Amino acid sequence: MEKQENRRVQRLVLVLFPLQGHTTPMLQLGSVLYSRGFAITIAHTRFNPPDPINHPQFDFLVSGTPNIEDVESINLNCQAPLQELELQKQTAYSQVAGVIHDSLMYFAATVANDNKIPSLVLRTSSAAFVQAYAALPHLLAEGSFLFQDSMSYEQVPQLNPLRFKDLPVSRENMALTLELIDIVSKYKRSSVMIINTTDCLEHLPLLQLQQLFQVPLFGIGPLSKVASASSTSFLEEESSCIAWLNNQTLKSVLYVSKGSLAMSDEKELTEIAWGLANSDQPFLWVVRPGSVSSSDWTELLPQGFREHVGERGLIVKWAPQKEVLAHFAVGGFWTHCGWNSVMESLSEGVPMISCPQFFDQKVNSRYITYIWKVGIELDGELERGDIERSIRKLMGGREGVEIRQRAIELKQMIDVSILEGGSTYNALNDLTEFLLTNKIPPN
Ligand code: UDP
């Protein structure tokens, strides 16, 4: 496809953070804004670059070679190349109308500010998580969190419905959390917030965020639903699983995935394997290469598992997840509760078994099970008996029927939100207007 930037007067620079769960929604936002007439430049790192073949409409700018383990070094490393883009300079045909950056690429707000260009932050997580994260410094300063066991079921003051155990921090990652809070507080914040959620899912958290940050806020999700379908995966999608799904019966298959980051050890792999095997339910299981410690892929699966399961189960390295969740044969999603996965599941009305591990996943799980009531939680250390019972409950039990009904109703509400007059539809129009008329307040 011929690039159309010469005909596009307003250009937006989108700054990616190089992890799958961050890159996907930013690229989706890029295609939505492209369809609204903006020229799009994607600034990305050499690590985990997007594939330009999948996005011929965008321009790309390499903005650094980071050490992915260190968020501050990524920000320092990427600053100069973005600065060199001379954001303020107008070309013959287009001018930079704004910089939209991932919340972890906070340096971009400073660069934009130096160049007198509006900056907007894209939050790729839920509004409830952003709110909880913003409350952490206060909770920590107050000492209330430190005195609480991070497994406590006690309600967190002012963060209803979250309990201390749902907070995006635990004793193990406390140091990293404190470091991130400290780093982020040093940088200039963007004056506008775009968030990948929608009013029918998070009405209250969105209102509370608006009050908290006092900046224009646009809930334009689920981006997976409003953006065009081009692939954003870093790993190759095994499309052959769709042919396998085609041979399964309606809503019979449990799809199992822990996203792009979560890891397992051999013991957990064994429990999951026997839980799936003993449930007698067909399953499609994503085991990411390298996601089981001390192995390359599935070498540590227990003996006898494959024979026991036969054709009833399929294991892949990476699935075309959106297509899988939209497939007629998929009736449930055992998920780690990454926000993209949750939104993709909700958008297709697929009920969930939630199995959160860290950060925002625990907040998301609370909303899945307690607020929207579209899933059941598998809590604590995984054990084959619990897994088998949870699968049977979701896929076959009476409770499962009610959960599925609520998931379908929520999907219908999401569908309405993206149609003309819906909250996402309106927020996208408002955002476009904002960018075109340059009404963005200066930093
Ligand atoms: N995903 C995929 N195929 C897989 C597993 C995951 O395409 O086999 C995609 C999924 O659709 C989602 C993203 O990877 O868009 C994972 O993001 P999420 O926020 O759910 O979790 P994270 O990987 O950040 O923990």
Side-chain angles (χ1 to χ4, degrees):
M1 191 198 302
E2 185 202 341
K3 287 198 178 129
Q4 299 182 26
E5 70 271 26
N6 288 352
R7 288 190 277 114
R8 292 168 180 265
V9 176
Q10 305 274 15
R11 175 172 296 278
L12 298 170
V13 179
L14 273 52
V15 185
L16 303 183
F17 187 76
L19 290 179
Q20 186 70 72
H22 289 249
T23 292
T24 293
M26 187 64 96
L27 290 172
Q28 288 166 339
L29 178 63
S31 55
V32 171
L33 293 171
Y34 180 85
S35 72
R36 295 193 166 230
F38 294 95
I40 303 289
T41 297
I42 302 289
H44 64 87
T45 60
R46 279 197 184 81
F47 178 79
N48 275 347
D51 187 347
I53 290 173
N54 292 330
H55 314 281
Q57 74 277 38
F58 299 156
D59 293 298
F60 291 88
L61 169 78
V62 181
S63 69
T65 313
N67 165 13
I68 184 65
E69 304 290 323
D70 180 351
V71 173
E72 188 158 30
S73 104
I74 297 178
N75 278 268
L76 293 174
N77 195 283
C78 296
Q79 192 145 347
L82 197 69
Q83 196 71 265
E84 280 162 21
L85 189 65
E86 293 181 81
L87 293 174
Q88 82 285 14
K89 197 167 143 188
Q90 295 188 8
T91 68
Y93 299 101
S94 70
Q95 61 183 24
V96 178
V99 172
I100 304 179
H101 65 94
D102 188 280
S103 59
L104 291 177
M105 298 299 254
Y106 34 80
F107 79 93
T110 309
V111 174
N113 190 60
D114 292 347
N115 286 281
K116 306 210 170 5
I117 290 175
S119 70
L120 304 87
V121 62
L122 171 66
R123 302 300 308 231
T124 55
S125 46
S126 66
F129 167 75
V130 178
Q131 197 190 3
Y133 207 75
L136 281 181
H138 175 66
L139 286 171
L140 291 166
E142 225 182 25
S144 57
F145 186 76
L146 293 175
F147 292 117
Q148 289 286 342
D149 186 329
S150 57
M151 289 311 288
S152 163
Y153 284 79
E154 200 176 310
Q155 175 81 49
V156 184
Q158 273 118 48
L159 281 182
N160 186 35
L162 302 183
R163 304 154 300 180
F164 281 91
K165 78 187 277 290
D166 305 316
L167 286 178
V169 61
S170 63
R171 288 192 194 286
E172 300 85 66
N173 64 27
M174 185 78 81
L176 174 64
T177 306
L178 288 175
E179 194 188 322
L180 272 181
I181 290 171
D182 181 51
I183 295 169
V184 174
S185 66
K186 281 193 291 203
Y187 280 80
K188 195 142 202 88
R189 281 170 187 263
S190 287
S191 48
V192 178
M193 191 183 288
I194 306 170
I195 184 158
N196 187 16
T197 188
T198 185
D199 194 66
C200 67
L201 295 178
E202 294 203 282
H203 179 70
L204 218 62
L206 276 169
L207 275 181
Q208 287 162 344
L209 263 196
Q210 181 90 67
Q211 282 164 5
L212 186 69
F213 286 95
Q214 301 276 324
V215 296
L217 191 143
F218 301 94
I220 45 77
L223 278 165
S224 57
K225 198 84 181 169
V226 287
S228 60
S230 53
S231 171
T232 54
S233 286
F234 296 141
L235 298 175
E236 193 183 335
E237 295 174 354
E238 286 189 48
S239 304
S240 56
C241 65
I242 300 297
W244 180 85
L245 283 175
N246 289 342
N247 289 325
Q248 309 301 319
T249 55
L250 183 70
K251 299 204 184 307
S252 64
V253 175
L254 180 71
Y255 171 60
V256 186
S257 164
K258 296 178 78 165
S260 64
L261 297 171
M263 299 283 295
S264 297
D265 57 18
E266 184 176 0
K267 181 167 179 296
E268 189 177 89
L269 182 83
T270 305
E271 294 306 310
I272 296 175
W274 284 124
L276 289 170
N278 297 339
S279 74
D280 287 334
Q281 201 71 36
F283 62 86
L284 170 60
W285 183 10
V286 178
V287 180
R288 236 175 43 246
S291 67
V292 181
S293 40
S294 314
S295 78
D296 290 333
W297 189 37
T298 50
E299 308 88 278
L300 297 178
L301 277 174
Q303 269 199 344
F305 165 76
R306 283 194 189 269
E307 295 72 16
H308 183 108
V309 165
E311 298 288 297
R312 177 164 62 79
L314 181 68
I315 300 180
V316 295
K317 292 178 173 159
W318 191 255
Q321 182 165 301
K322 269 175 65 180
E323 208 182 331
V324 165
L325 288 169
H327 197 282
F328 71 83
V330 172
F333 181 12
W334 175 355
T335 173
H336 71 305
C337 304
W339 185 238
N340 293 289
S341 293
V342 172
M343 293 284 267
E344 289 159 14
S345 201
L346 294 173
S347 298
E348 297 303 337
V350 177
M352 288 167 264
I353 293 176
S354 77
C355 195
Q357 282 190 302
F358 42 68
F359 285 120
D360 65 328
Q361 298 161 16
K362 296 187 285 177
V363 175
N364 301 340
S365 177
R366 181 70 170 154
Y367 274 73
I368 291 168
T369 54
Y370 184 76
I371 297 292
W372 307 316
K373 297 185 170 58
V374 293
I376 49 180
E377 188 170 52
L378 245 180
D379 212 359
E381 201 169 317
L382 292 178
E383 188 275 322
R384 65 189 74 182
D386 290 341
I387 295 172
E388 181 190 337
R389 275 187 293 280
S390 300
I391 297 173
R392 288 184 187 279
K393 201 198 258 187
L394 185 78
M395 302 297 283
R398 209 168 44 120
E399 197 182 333
V401 173
E402 289 164 11
I403 290 174
R404 183 175 312 281
Q405 184 53 36
R406 281 192 292 273
I408 290 168
E409 285 162 12
L410 205 49
K411 173 202 172 349
Q412 288 163 348
M413 288 164 77
I414 293 172
D415 287 344
V416 168
S417 76
I418 64 177
L419 292 175
E420 190 170 346
S423 69
T424 289
Y425 180 94
N426 289 341
L428 275 169
N429 280 346
D430 292 347
L431 174 63
T432 307
E433 186 65 17
F434 227 77
L435 290 162
L436 285 173
T437 53
N438 244 335
K439 272 195 288 185
I440 299 165
N443 270 324

